[in-house]
Amino acid sequence: KQWYQRRVRGFSAMFLVILVLLVLCTSLVPGQSDVGGRRPDPAGSVVDTCQSLKEEAQAIRREGYSAIDKADVIREQAYRVKDEAYELKDEAYEIKESSMEARLALETTLVESLALMKSQATATNLYIQEIRATLSSVSSRIDRLEKGMEQRFEQIEDALSEHRSAIDEKQTEIEEKFTVIEEKFTAQSTALDKIGQKVDDRASEVTTKVSETQATAAVIKSRQLTWISEIRLISLYKATEENNRHPSGYDSDLVTDGQFVRDSQGDNSMRTYSHTHSAGHNNKIWIELGGLFRIHKIKIWNLRHCCQERLIGTHIYADDELIGTVIKAASTYDFTVSDEDPTYASRVTLHQPLAQHTHVLELQVWGNGPFQEDDKFA
């Protein structure tokens, strides 16, 4: 701002000088005077001088205007700088306030930390004092214990001295007893050796007996295998039953009576076949074999004189296993069980699911047995 004021004063002085020169030039041009006894030349040097001064004055004025414009620009820049300075000043005040707040917070934190450290130091000192007191108490107790131990050791040594002779006597007695025990142990060892020899001899005899028993068992097994290899008629005269009994004497027992050459012995009163009462569904006739047998073949003898087709559709079961089904009319039917799939059963059943009379001249079951459930020969 001071620089700007100096520039304005400088330009004002220049304008005053220019105005003075212009006044002088104006007063000299219209008059006449003698200078050196001669009349001055109107077109002389004064006019030229005034003209040049005028031009210089105009140039100076132009420079003055230019300087004024520059001064305005500088003033605007100064104002902007001033505004920026005020903004910086405000920011500085804000920074100062923030720093004061931070300093205050730091001082508060430091004071609190120092107070906390002081309180902790106090507590630590108290704790150290307590530890020292505890250590002192422990040390005194240890001293008392050491003294007590020393006294106890002295008492033990005295007691050991008193009982040493008794211990020596007891040791001598124990050694004598140990000697007796060793003698008895030697005798027992000798007896055990004799017993061991006897056991070995007995074991040899048992081994010989076991070998003989195994040989006998092998012979018995061979005989059993030979016996069970015989396939025989196992259904003859066995108990039978049916679920649709005829009231005129055509009982199911006729299928195991061994009479299958003729249907009757001369007249109808001597019929030898079983006949159900009605032609209902699910007629059944079965044989109770009386034990568990291996089934090899089942043979059915059909009627000779008529009605052979009524047996078509009948299922033949060994217990719950299906052996076969009648699929055509015939006089006899043979159902053989494969040796690759042995079948064991205690009952053989004929089941006709169709609505037909069921009549059978003879039902023969061929096989071998009986067997226990856990003693099957496959």
Side-chain angles (χ1 to χ4, degrees):
K1 185 175 180 182
Q2 294 176 357
W3 174 81
Y4 174 74
Q5 291 176 355
R6 287 197 297 271
R7 291 292 299 272
V8 171
R9 286 197 296 270
F11 284 118
S12 300
M14 290 176 65
F15 277 114
L16 290 176
V17 172
I18 292 168
L19 290 175
V20 171
L21 291 173
L22 289 175
V23 172
L24 291 174
C25 291
T26 304
S27 62
L28 291 174
V29 171
Q32 297 178 354
S33 63
D34 292 334
V35 178
R38 291 182 294 111
R39 186 177 293 272
D41 189 1
S45 60
V46 177
V47 175
D48 294 334
T49 301
C50 290
Q51 186 67 31
S52 62
L53 290 174
K54 184 178 180 180
E55 292 175 358
E56 290 179 0
Q58 292 177 354
I60 290 169
R61 184 174 60 185
R62 287 194 297 271
E63 291 179 359
Y65 289 148
S66 177
I68 291 171
D69 294 335
K70 292 180 179 180
D72 292 336
V73 172
I74 290 170
R75 183 175 57 186
E76 292 176 358
Q77 292 178 354
Y79 285 148
R80 285 198 296 272
V81 170
K82 181 180 179 181
D83 294 337
E84 292 177 357
Y86 282 131
E87 292 177 358
L88 291 174
K89 183 179 179 181
D90 295 336
E91 291 180 358
Y93 281 134
E94 293 177 356
I95 292 171
K96 183 178 179 181
E97 291 176 357
S98 300
S99 64
M100 291 296 290
E101 293 176 356
R103 180 179 178 183
L104 181 60
L106 179 60
E107 290 177 353
T108 303
T109 304
L110 288 174
V111 170
E112 292 176 354
S113 300
L114 290 173
L116 179 61
M117 291 175 65
K118 184 176 180 181
S119 61
Q120 290 180 352
T122 303
T124 303
N125 290 330
L126 294 175
Y127 184 64
I128 290 171
Q129 291 177 1
E130 291 177 359
I131 291 173
R132 287 177 178 174
T134 304
L135 289 175
S136 178
S137 176
V138 169
S139 178
S140 61
R141 290 180 63 187
I142 290 172
D143 293 337
R144 289 196 299 271
L145 287 173
E146 287 179 352
K147 292 180 181 178
M149 291 292 290
E150 290 176 356
Q151 294 175 358
R152 186 60 177 171
F153 284 147
E154 291 176 356
Q155 293 175 1
I156 291 172
E157 287 179 356
D158 295 338
L160 286 175
S161 298
E162 293 175 358
H163 295 287
R164 187 165 296 165
S165 58
I167 291 172
D168 293 336
E169 294 175 358
K170 194 68 175 178
Q171 184 176 0
T172 303
E173 183 181 353
I174 290 172
E175 289 176 353
E176 293 175 354
K177 289 182 179 179
F178 185 73
T179 302
V180 174
I181 291 171
E182 282 184 346
E183 293 174 354
K184 291 182 178 180
F185 180 76
T186 302
Q188 291 292 331
S189 297
T190 304
L192 287 175
D193 291 337
K194 293 180 180 180
I195 292 172
Q197 185 63 38
K198 292 181 180 180
V199 169
D200 292 338
D201 296 339
R202 188 61 178 170
S204 178
E205 293 176 2
V206 170
T207 302
T208 303
K209 293 291 185 181
V210 168
S211 299
E212 294 175 355
T213 303
Q214 288 178 346
T216 304
V219 172
I220 293 173
K221 182 177 180 181
S222 176
R223 291 175 180 176
Q224 286 178 338
L225 291 174
T226 302
W227 174 70
I228 65 175
S229 65
E230 178 191 4
I231 300 174
R232 66 187 188 279
L233 182 63
I234 59 175
S235 59
L236 185 63
Y237 304 134
K238 293 294 178 70
T240 63
E241 193 55 76
E242 60 183 324
N243 64 348
N244 191 6
R245 185 185 299 273
H246 198 285
S248 298
Y250 298 98
D251 292 342
S252 61
D253 292 338
L254 294 174
V255 302
T256 60
D257 63 350
Q259 302 295 323
F260 51 87
V261 177
R262 299 183 181 87
D263 292 347
S264 62
Q265 300 292 337
D267 56 39
N268 289 335
S269 62
M270 296 295 292
R271 293 175 180 173
T272 61
Y273 59 88
S274 173
H275 196 300
T276 57
H277 179 233
S278 62
H281 291 280
N282 296 316
N283 285 327
K284 291 183 181 180
I285 298 175
W286 61 88
I287 301 175
E288 297 290 349
L289 298 176
L292 185 66
F293 290 83
R294 179 175 176 179
I295 309 300
H296 287 269
K297 185 178 75 172
I298 298 175
K299 187 178 183 69
I300 302 174
W301 295 78
N302 203 354
L303 295 184
R304 302 278 180 85
H305 66 283
C306 74
C307 311
Q308 292 183 348
E309 71 280 358
R310 292 181 178 179
L311 206 59
I312 295 175
T314 300
H315 300 317
I316 297 89
Y317 290 93
D319 283 348
D320 296 327
E321 183 174 351
L322 178 65
I323 303 300
T325 303
V326 176
I327 59 175
K328 64 180 179 180
S331 297
T332 60
Y333 305 93
D334 291 323
F335 298 94
T336 303
V337 179
S338 174
D339 290 336
E340 297 179 356
D341 185 19
T343 299
Y344 292 81
S346 59
R347 174 185 291 183
V348 173
T349 304
L350 302 184
H351 174 208
Q352 173 58 280
L354 305 177
Q356 286 285 7
H357 284 283
T358 301
H359 37 61
V360 178
L361 179 60
E362 190 77 10
L363 178 58
Q364 295 177 333
V365 182
W366 298 81
N368 53 34
F371 300 96
Q372 295 293 333
E373 183 66 30
D374 57 350
D375 188 29
K376 298 177 182 178
F377 286 81

